[in-house]
Amino acid sequence: MSLESEIKKRRTFAIISHPDAGKTTLTEKFLLYGGAINLAGSVKGKKTAKHAVSDWMEIEKERGISVTSSVLQFNYEGYCINILDTPGHEDFSEDTYRTLMAADSAVMVIDASKGVEKQTIKLFKVCVMRHIPIFTFINKMDREANDPFELLDEIESVLGIATCPINWPIGCGKEFKGVYDRKEKNVSLFKAAMNGQKEVDTEIVDASDEAVLKDRIGDAFYDKLQEDIELLDGASAEFDQEMVSAGDLTPVFFGSALTNFGVQTFLEHFLSMTTSPLPRKSDQGVIDPFTEDFSAFVFKIQANMNKAHRDRIAFMRICSGKFEAGMEANHVQGGKKIRLSQPQQMMAEERHIVDAGDIIGVFDPGIFSIGDTICKSNKKFTFEGIPTFAPEHFARVRQIDTMKRKQFIKGINQIAQEGAIQIFQEFNTGMEEIIVGVVGVLQFEVLEYRLKNEYGVDIRLEPLPYEHIRWIENPEEIDVNRIVGTSDMKKIKDLKGNPLLVFANSWSVNMVLERNEGLKLSEFGRN
Ligand code: G4P
């Protein structure tokens, strides 16, 4: 098969949701339809059998959750699908955000009884920033659910994206009767498929067949459905592929991942509406995925996959061409030619073609940083950088044994380079005071654990009250020293000396903007 047709088969997406909405269950059901599975990393602990491919950190095992994101590959109906898993626990980290930089589209899973939840909003913002297509699966219809119209309203008002329901639920919970397909104008009757079964043959009834449909769902649900259809046809946005591709309209599906109802329909529609790998921006113009020359960027660095070595694995998203194990390529930021060895993808039983759209994890002797570009061609370029995402938890960090200053500085800098934490300093002083910022509080534990285990340094963390951080977008235009703050605001700087502001309350952000004309603040840091 030609390179072009291989790449066109690729669908690389991330699943975003609030914990417990059903991301893992949905992923497991997707796998039922797929064939061979290639794992680079792990699906997620809990009840999944496909845990560790490699040794994960102790914390992860103890907590039974996934600290780092992973990728999972399967084939379905001629598509080669890469699912980028995003840690679903409350304590998710910056890796979760970065994973979205490697995806071409996102599936948003929403619990029908909860609606749009906090974590979904955060992840959704990153998808919007990238203008990638977003597909919504409203899950758990087999349980009591919110009114579907209200759910759509909530998505539109809270997330600010237009919705287009592809199917429509009839009842919910014990009274869940099935879903109406708006295009085909038929009803799939609900039937639960439990215990890892593929979707059982559901009966499909033509919606115009009033007698049969009334017999199956009852008069009351029949009447309600007619009303809903009329309302939907009048009020909801029409399906528009261009708007979907631009991330301005989300196709919405209702179903139940646990009972495997609506999953296959979702998967099939999703695969046809989503996109194969798209060109990516670089400083030398757009890089076409179909160009022969291999290129990739690093979106995640994971330390300690193998406890015996202090290895790191750099996860890369391939943006063009084809990867060959042991190949030589330019590491642009490092200014060197390197050999890409030990790709994680190759751990699968069968040899696999790895091209644009795929994710590989390669051995990293400590040379890569998040956002680095690797390219085969001699015309060197760098892909658009990965932004720094706003940490939400801050702590002052001190080493307990002051004699271990060197190890402490080395360790904390290396961990920051991997992107697990961000380090800051007081605005007007030097390195003696270190402030650590993290996206998820679990990263504090990871930091403490790793400094002790890998660098022999014990630390004390003093939590700071800040929850919001803003980068100053125009430091050259204003005098940072003269910014008028609020009592709960603090000026800090990152390692590159960029000034930032941290706030304990979100209202202070607006207050400071009002008090300082011309000041521009951003939630994403520049690289
Ligand atoms: P997550 O990855 O998004 O965190 O969610 P996960 O799939 O682990 O699902 C969270 C819980 O919701 C699980 O129950 C799961 O069985 C349940 N669930 C997922 N999809 C559906 C659905 O369509 N319908 C219903 N009724 N439940 C669903 P749990 O309480 O964590 O496990 P268990 O004790 O029920 O086994």
Side-chain angles (χ1 to χ4, degrees), residues 49-167:
K50 293 161 215 80
H51 202 31
V53 160
S54 28
D55 263 344
W56 292 91
M57 293 168 66
E58 289 302 323
I59 297 177
E60 186 176 6
K61 283 193 217 142
E62 279 163 21
R63 292 238 186 168
I65 56 163
S66 194
V67 176
T68 36
S69 320
S70 55
V71 59
L72 183 155
Q73 188 177 64
F74 68 99
N75 296 304
Y76 177 72
E77 307 247 305
Y79 292 102
C80 176
I81 300 160
N82 292 304
I83 305 184
L84 300 169
D85 188 26
T86 48
H89 192 270
E90 284 285 5
D91 292 327
F92 75 137
S93 73
E94 236 185 310
D95 272 345
T96 317
Y97 290 136
R98 292 194 191 109
T99 297
L100 294 174
M101 305 303 289
D104 295 315
S105 60
V107 168
M108 174 163 77
V109 183
I110 289 177
D111 182 330
S113 69
K114 304 238 171 79
V116 179
E117 295 177 89
K118 198 171 156 216
Q119 197 153 302
T120 315
I121 302 175
K122 289 190 207 169
L123 294 166
F124 180 85
K125 275 191 190 171
V126 181
C127 298
V128 169
M129 178 185 79
R130 293 204 46 226
H131 303 287
I132 57 174
I134 299 164
F135 298 82
T136 305
F137 186 80
I138 299 190
N139 191 27
K140 305 198 187 182
M141 288 309 298
D142 59 308
R143 285 208 190 146
E144 286 312 307
N146 295 355
D147 179 77
F149 284 106
E150 278 172 24
L151 285 165
L152 295 189
D153 272 355
E154 197 183 349
I155 295 171
E156 301 210 346
S157 62
V158 177
L159 301 176
I161 187 169
T163 57
C164 172
I166 304 296
N167 64 18

Side-chain angles (χ1 to χ4, degrees), residues 17-28 44 46-47 85-86 88-89 109 111 137 139-143 255-261:
S17 72
H18 194 80
D20 279 343
K23 179 163 63 69
T24 312
T25 312
L26 187 66
T27 308
E28 283 169 356
K44 174 174 156 180
K46 262 185 156 172
K47 288 152 280 173
D85 188 26
T86 48
H89 192 270
V109 183
D111 182 330
F137 186 80
N139 191 27
K140 305 198 187 182
M141 288 309 298
D142 59 308
R143 285 208 190 146
S256 158
L258 186 68
T259 59
N260 209 349
F261 182 77

